[in-house]
Amino acid sequence: MDRLPALELEYVTTGGRSREWPRGVLGGAVFDRLPRRRAAAGDPGFPVAEVSMPVLGEAGEVLELWRAGEEVRAGTHGHVRYTCSSDVLFGSVSLDEHDVPAVANPGRHSALYQATARAYRDIFATLAAAGHPHLVRVWNYIPDINLETHGLERYRQFNSARQEALIACGRSVAGSVPAASALGAASGSPLVIYFLASRMAPALIENPRQVSAYHYPARYGPRSPAFSRAAVLGRNEAAALFISGTASIVGHRTMHTGDPVAQTRETLRNIEALLAEAGRTALGRTLPLDALAYKVYVRDPRDLPLVRAQLTEAIGAQAPVIYLEADICRQDLAVEIEAFGSRAREWS
Ligand code: 3EB
């Protein structure tokens, strides 16, 4: 592919005012404590994931909008709503786990396992049907992510089901896996997964400071988390860079437990290592931290000022940043940061 994916990300903070949907959008997500109460009237003609997750700081709800810069068509496949351009596909699935017919052995697996397996099977069926076979970036929002049921933390149940679905769909569970984030959403809210896929394969990036998550030892769960540390779609000045949820992990161990400031700094060191690695292997140049847009998940809202001060010091006041209150998939992690960069955000 020679043409530009021209993907653009915008975080729209509405302050809770009513809003209109902008034009030319591929898809989006709304983050709020109760997103359904605030959903804009009418069908915007593209999927909007509704994530029950409080926004921290001054903003009311936040809208995350993805633009493709070309014509899109909309469709549904199974539980997936999607739009696609000739280059990329945006899709969204929202499943109430207590309302999903079992995919796998119902006696053996939890409702969350079944919902996750259903969602991923529908996602891969959508990609096959739409002719965008490559999953590039996935956002997973899991209610009660740290709760233990069936003798296993729900994040670990999710990991088992995600792996099972990858295998069932003939996909790789290590190496060729998408960039991703997995965070806790409000108790009782649906499992929400949204994603970007492409006609062409992304370059997948690992962090030299970290063990690949798909090679984590079994102490972190019976099945490893199937995600890459970053993905690059397109080449050179046309490329888009997706940095997965990144935390204070070196090797496979959590660092600086109980110290949100040190965890934020370690997380930024990991993002810098990914920028260097993406520059070396896919982009041909190392982007500076202030060339990216950030989504920051903070477990305890009281840590917001500390985390924000570290981030502002590292990336300046100009880069787009939103802060969300979310449980993170290890109890000892206080903060997780994901990022996106593209030419639209001036890689000069
Ligand atoms: C980590 O580095 C933190 O399960 O899809 C980050 C991003 C994390 C994605 C996932 C998990 C996931 O292990 C956790």
Side-chain angles (χ1 to χ4, degrees), residues 155 159 162 180-182 216 225 227 229 245 249 329 336:
Y155 174 58
N159 276 318
R162 174 170 55 179
S181 301
Y216 277 169
F227 72 96
R229 298 297 183 183
I249 295 171
C329 63
E336 182 172 311

Side-chain angles (χ1 to χ4, degrees), residues 290 311-321 345:
D290 67 2
L311 214 64
T312 306
E313 194 185 311
I315 67 175
Q318 297 309 310
V321 190
R345 268 255 338 120

Side-chain angles (χ1 to χ4, degrees), residues 281-305:
T281 62
L283 294 173
R285 54 180 294 232
T286 299
L287 299 179
L289 282 175
D290 67 2
L292 306 179
Y294 294 86
K295 204 156 128 201
V296 181
Y297 304 95
V298 180
R299 184 188 286 278
D300 184 338
R302 289 170 299 185
D303 291 341
L304 176 67

Side-chain angles (χ1 to χ4, degrees), residues 207 209-210 243-250 256 260-276 287-290 292-296 306-316 319 321 323 335-339:
N207 182 345
R209 305 180 79 227
Q210 296 182 311
I243 294 188
S244 294
T246 305
S248 175
I249 295 171
V250 177
H256 320 297
V261 168
Q263 285 208 344
T264 305
R265 295 167 76 106
E266 196 72 67
T267 302
L268 289 166
R269 278 194 287 277
N270 278 328
I271 291 175
E272 284 182 309
L274 286 167
L275 288 173
L287 299 179
L289 282 175
D290 67 2
L292 306 179
Y294 294 86
K295 204 156 128 201
V296 181
L306 297 172
V307 172
R308 179 151 59 184
Q310 290 307 313
L311 214 64
T312 306
E313 194 185 311
I315 67 175
V321 190
Y323 295 89
V335 60
E336 182 172 311
I337 303 177
E338 63 180 56

